[in-house]
Amino acid sequence: MPEVKNSVDAALRDRALRVVPGGMWGHLHANRLPEGYPQFFARAEGCRLWDVDGRSYLDFMCSWGPNLLGHHHPEVEAAAERQARLGDCMNGPAEVMVELAELLVDTVAHADWTQFQKNGTDATTSCATIARAGTGRRKLLAARGAYHGAVPWCSPSVVGVTSEDRAHILYYDFNDAESLRAAAAEAGDDLAGIIVSAYRHDLARDQELPTQGFATAARAVCDETGAALILDEVRAGFRLDLAGSWERLGVRPDLAAWSKSIANGHALAAVTGRDWLRHAAAQVFVTGSFWCAAAPMAAAVATLTVLRRDNIVARLEAMGARLREGIEASAARHGVALRQSGPVQMPLILFEDDADFAKGNLFCQTALARGVYFHPRHNMFLSAAHGEAEIDEALAVADTALAAVAARSRAAA
């Protein structure tokens, strides 16, 4: 997709560069994407969004996960607006906080209690703090390459991070029970908890669902040592199973961190936990000026109500399977070798023999120019607003993009 000269987006980038270090920060920085991707957006609705230059896109990133029901879901927005008129950020929470806590405890299988935050990093860090407080220990086990947030103890960047920030973090390999047990042995009687993603969704590599043996081993290590099993549900939460992403494996955590889709795009996060950690959760000091804002909590109540009522997980699975099967068939027609991995409702497409992501970038740039927003390296997301018509529209564009990849490969041969 060629760069649009003299565009509104380009002008905004120039303005931002003068007042924002680097012009943007973090995972939303468009410079991390292939040329042609917009940085700034004007509006969004359902499963579509529009950039500041007026181009529209069928959205397969869903704000990098938060929009589970689709942008501007009417029931969610109505609930948030009603609460905002009454009060949002006040001297304490509104009644809706208790309603939401009750709904979460009723929905999430392991949950005896819940606390609220704003971002996924807030929730994972609160889990780590509660686990340490509840056990009186220091060591945490985390999977190599896993992403659990953007603060020093877990950031993927080491810029500005000291070795002391991670002095009590030990590492294991996801889906490797032997590696997990070895890390637990190294921690010894100082093991406070094991944090693990709902499934392996590391950037730019094939996704892995947890094996039964690995999940069972993680639960067993915690039971044997008295440590807390922490499930990071920030990315996958409420997309695989409303009761918890490991519920189908029969493995329940002691703590879980939630964010992204919990309020369908409104800023909210949560920790859920078991009774044995209730006192520790009450004793630790974790807080934020906006953590009890009422409008996002009302949005979350509406979101969970729709999820429970409308069997959204099944819809996501059906549409995700339609997309995956269509991509597979199209790739076969064009003779393009690719890999699709992870749960179908959170698709990832990587190409064979594509170490520099040239094929993936071409595929995504071609699709973007035709109004479909895919990502070449990060897992994508489906929302309840993606129906059969939208999936078929995306497949038609993907077919053209795969044809472009096939033509490039033939020309290079």
Side-chain angles (χ1 to χ4, degrees):
M1 179 177 178
E3 182 181 357
V4 179
K5 302 296 184 181
N6 302 316
S7 68
V8 176
D9 188 85
L12 284 171
R13 291 193 199 205
D14 287 343
R15 288 171 57 192
L17 194 59
R18 292 192 289 271
V19 292
V20 176
M24 188 54 194
W25 64 92
H27 69 291
L28 299 181
H29 202 318
N31 283 0
R32 299 176 185 272
L33 289 162
E35 183 181 348
Y37 275 76
Q39 179 67 80
F40 293 94
F41 295 89
R43 64 187 181 95
E45 192 73 30
C47 58
R48 297 183 189 274
L49 70 165
W50 288 260
D51 67 23
V52 290
D53 286 290
R55 292 182 295 269
S56 67
Y57 307 95
L58 181 55
D59 179 19
F60 283 92
M61 285 306 288
C62 297
S63 307
W64 297 72
N67 281 288
L68 176 53
L69 301 178
H71 300 281
H72 279 165
H73 188 278
E75 291 180 62
V76 174
E77 295 310 305
E81 289 168 11
R82 282 194 302 271
Q83 181 59 57
R85 285 194 295 270
L86 295 172
D88 182 25
C89 183
M90 300 180 283
N91 287 10
E95 180 180 346
V96 70
M97 186 196 78
V98 181
E99 181 184 357
L100 176 56
E102 290 170 341
L103 186 57
L104 265 176
V105 168
D106 187 59
T107 301
V108 176
H110 81 271
D112 295 314
W113 54 265
T114 187
Q115 289 181 332
F116 298 106
Q117 303 85 26
K118 274 297 168 196
N119 298 288
T121 301
D122 299 336
T124 56
T125 302
S126 292
C127 283
T129 305
I130 292 166
R132 284 169 166 154
T135 61
R137 305 170 187 172
R138 299 174 296 173
K139 305 296 185 188
L140 290 174
L141 309 187
R144 292 182 181 88
Y147 180 75
H148 295 298
V151 287
W153 77 268
C154 58
S155 172
S157 170
V158 296
V159 178
V161 174
T162 69
S163 59
E164 289 82 0
D165 290 319
R166 302 182 183 188
H168 297 295
I169 310 296
L170 301 173
Y171 298 96
Y172 63 89
D173 295 316
F174 189 89
N175 265 345
D176 185 335
E178 183 177 345
S179 168
L180 181 66
R181 287 192 176 277
E186 183 179 353
D189 59 7
D190 203 18
L191 180 59
I194 299 171
I195 187 166
V196 59
S197 301
Y199 73 94
R200 186 171 191 170
H201 43 56
D202 303 355
L203 182 66
R205 59 153 294 149
D206 293 340
Q207 301 182 109
E208 292 179 45
L209 293 171
T211 64
Q212 182 69 61
F214 173 73
T216 301
R219 180 68 270 171
V221 168
C222 288
D223 291 341
E224 292 162 8
T225 61
L229 179 58
I230 305 166
L231 191 60
D232 183 346
E233 292 271 25
V234 170
R235 197 179 299 188
F238 303 122
R239 279 190 158 86
L240 308 187
D241 192 313
L242 297 188
S245 293
W246 279 19
E247 192 65 14
R248 299 181 189 185
L249 298 170
V251 175
R252 293 178 178 174
D254 300 295
L255 295 165
W258 310 79
S259 189
K260 289 196 182 288
S261 63
I262 192 171
N264 200 55
H266 292 263
L268 190 67
V271 168
T272 51
R274 293 175 59 197
D275 261 331
W276 73 273
L277 289 162
R278 183 188 296 266
H279 179 72
Q283 294 302 306
V284 300
F285 188 76
V286 289
T287 191
S289 296
F290 304 101
W291 282 15
C292 286
M297 292 184 179
V301 169
T303 299
L304 287 170
T305 299
V306 173
L307 288 173
R308 287 161 57 120
R309 182 192 69 204
D310 294 347
N311 199 12
I312 297 300
V313 172
R315 176 179 174 83
L316 296 175
E317 288 178 336
M319 293 303 100
R322 189 181 187 93
L323 180 66
R324 180 164 294 185
E325 291 163 8
I327 293 286
E328 183 178 352
S330 183
R333 283 195 304 273
H334 292 291
V336 174
L338 53 75
R339 306 185 307 278
Q340 301 186 80
S341 60
V344 295
Q345 56 269 58
M346 299 173 68
L348 177 69
I349 303 168
L350 297 176
F351 289 80
E352 298 287 1
D353 302 316
D354 194 31
D356 60 357
F357 295 98
K359 295 177 184 178
N361 289 348
L362 175 61
F363 172 78
C364 289
Q365 287 173 305
T366 304
L368 190 76
R370 288 156 179 79
V372 175
Y373 195 111
F374 289 140
H375 197 291
R377 295 181 295 279
H378 193 285
N379 76 271
M380 295 175 279
F381 301 87
L382 268 70
S383 76
H386 289 93
E388 291 184 359
E390 289 77 19
I391 297 300
D392 291 347
E393 177 185 343
L395 288 173
V397 169
D399 188 73
T400 300
L402 287 167
V405 173
R408 176 78 61 85
S409 297
R410 288 194 298 270

